[in-house]
Amino acid sequence: MESTGCGHLTARLPSPLEEVRDPRLRGVRLLIKREDLIHPEVPGNKWRKLHRNLVRAHEAGATTLLTFGGAYSNHIRAVAAAGRACGFATVGVIRGEEHRPLNPVLEYAAAQGMRLVHLDRATYRNKHTPGVIAGLRERFGDFHLLPEGGSNAEAVLGCVPVAAEIDTDFDVLCCACGTGGTLAGVAAGLGPGRRALGFAVLKGGGFLADEVRRLQREAGVSGGNWEVETGYHFGGYARCPDGLRAFIDDFRDRHGLEPERVYVAKMLAGIYDLAARGRLRPGTTVVALVTGPAEFRAQAPPVQPPRLE
């Protein structure tokens, strides 16, 4: 078991491996690494990417965490839970207009005490510019800034140990990609003869290759053997067309695990397709990171939701 250093986010590590036996994989051996079981409220790559950032914030004497995300961002939800557990105030800067009632993600974040504020989409696109950050500091005081999706150098370093936790031989380590931080870290931790494959969940995800290289440079880690697959976004971020929904239902019925639809299902569907087309050859052992559950289940008692601004 490992803790963040704040003493309240002990993780279940290493996360367990489970084998998926399915003739449709055409001789490819598939192991799923259950990162979703690391922590009930900050699961998977959210814990991996946040725990070093929380330690740094604590060491710097910060009392408030501020981060960015869309209205359905699991990162927003995870920061709210982690901040509450570790005694930080939290601010979530949400892309786009406010809508009432709150969706389940924002309702959960608010129940953990996160202060929610909306930015119009034009301003949000410039969220990391000095002018926007200065305006946020004037409004909310000093804070420890976490980037959208949580991907920064500390997040990359938090993901490096994943490969070393796998105690069986494997050839390919797969993960879904939104901002590139998880792929940057797991690829840097690979040993010789192994490669990492990231599945972009965004339409037009070709930019992720440059992001992975940038994040690795900032973290001071070597690149490893990796690539990004851009053909399995299923229409774009958070899109779940009928074909993907059918895959999710079938996988759940066959294997007893419902894949999370925004990230995990797209990766798994991509693995099945690559196996069917021979791009993953028979005899290849693939480890797929299940980076989050199908749905979060809140376990901390809620607090009074704050007013949105």
Side-chain angles (χ1 to χ4, degrees), residues 11-309:
R12 179 188 179 186
L13 294 177
S15 57
L17 279 176
E18 300 174 1
E19 184 162 3
V20 173
R21 299 182 183 275
D22 195 322
R24 297 172 301 172
L25 289 166
R26 309 290 180 90
V28 172
R29 185 186 185 208
L30 176 60
L31 304 172
I32 55 174
K33 186 164 171 58
R34 295 293 303 276
E35 297 281 278
D36 56 311
L37 301 179
I38 284 177
H39 190 278
E41 294 179 271
V42 190
N45 65 338
K46 302 307 178 190
W47 191 94
R48 300 272 188 188
K49 293 164 78 174
L50 282 174
H51 79 279
R52 288 180 60 97
N53 276 290
L54 293 171
V55 170
R56 296 295 173 262
H58 178 76
E59 291 173 345
T63 59
T64 300
L65 307 174
L66 182 142
T67 195
F68 303 91
Y72 290 88
S73 167
N74 285 334
H75 170 69
I76 288 287
R77 178 159 34 187
V79 170
R84 185 174 190 272
C86 294
F88 293 101
T90 55
V91 178
V93 181
I94 310 302
R95 180 180 63 248
E97 298 176 353
E98 174 189 345
H99 294 282
R100 290 284 188 166
L102 297 179
N103 69 45
V105 170
L106 297 184
E107 182 180 32
Y108 176 86
Q112 307 312 303
M114 177 174 272
R115 189 175 182 181
L116 300 172
V117 58
H118 289 259
L119 287 183
D120 65 84
R121 293 177 182 274
T123 304
Y124 191 90
R125 283 193 290 270
N126 297 314
K127 59 188 176 295
H128 293 310
T129 61
V132 173
I133 298 299
L136 291 170
R137 292 198 186 280
E138 182 177 347
R139 188 172 181 180
F140 298 110
D142 196 20
F143 53 75
H144 184 84
L145 179 64
L146 297 171
E148 184 175 31
S151 289
N152 59 12
E154 295 295 347
V156 171
L157 294 172
C159 293
V160 169
V162 170
E165 293 178 8
I166 301 170
D167 60 359
T168 189
D169 288 336
F170 70 94
D171 303 294
V172 184
L173 182 56
C174 294
C175 66
C177 288
T179 55
T182 301
L183 179 60
V186 299
L190 291 175
R194 293 169 171 170
R195 63 188 177 102
L197 188 58
F199 290 81
V201 302
L202 305 162
K203 193 173 184 178
F207 73 94
L208 284 166
D210 287 337
E211 278 296 290
V212 171
R213 286 187 283 267
R214 179 186 67 80
L215 287 163
Q216 289 186 332
R217 286 195 303 269
E218 290 184 0
V221 295
S222 57
N225 183 11
W226 59 269
E227 60 182 303
V228 178
E229 282 285 344
T230 60
Y232 298 99
H233 53 75
F234 288 87
Y237 183 76
R239 298 288 180 87
C240 190
D242 291 344
L244 184 61
R245 171 51 62 187
F247 175 85
I248 291 169
D249 293 343
D250 181 73
F251 193 93
R252 180 197 61 227
D253 294 344
R254 288 173 182 261
H255 306 297
L257 173 68
E258 181 173 346
E260 182 273 328
R261 68 183 183 88
V262 177
Y263 293 92
V264 177
K266 294 179 179 183
M267 170 196 64
L268 288 172
I271 291 170
Y272 271 70
D273 186 64
L274 292 178
R277 295 196 287 122
R279 286 191 52 199
L280 289 171
R281 296 181 179 180
T284 301
T285 296
V286 174
V287 176
L289 302 186
V290 178
T291 48
E295 62 176 307
F296 280 75
R297 292 173 175 85
Q299 295 193 2
V303 296
Q304 182 64 33
R307 178 177 60 85
L308 274 76
E309 301 185 6

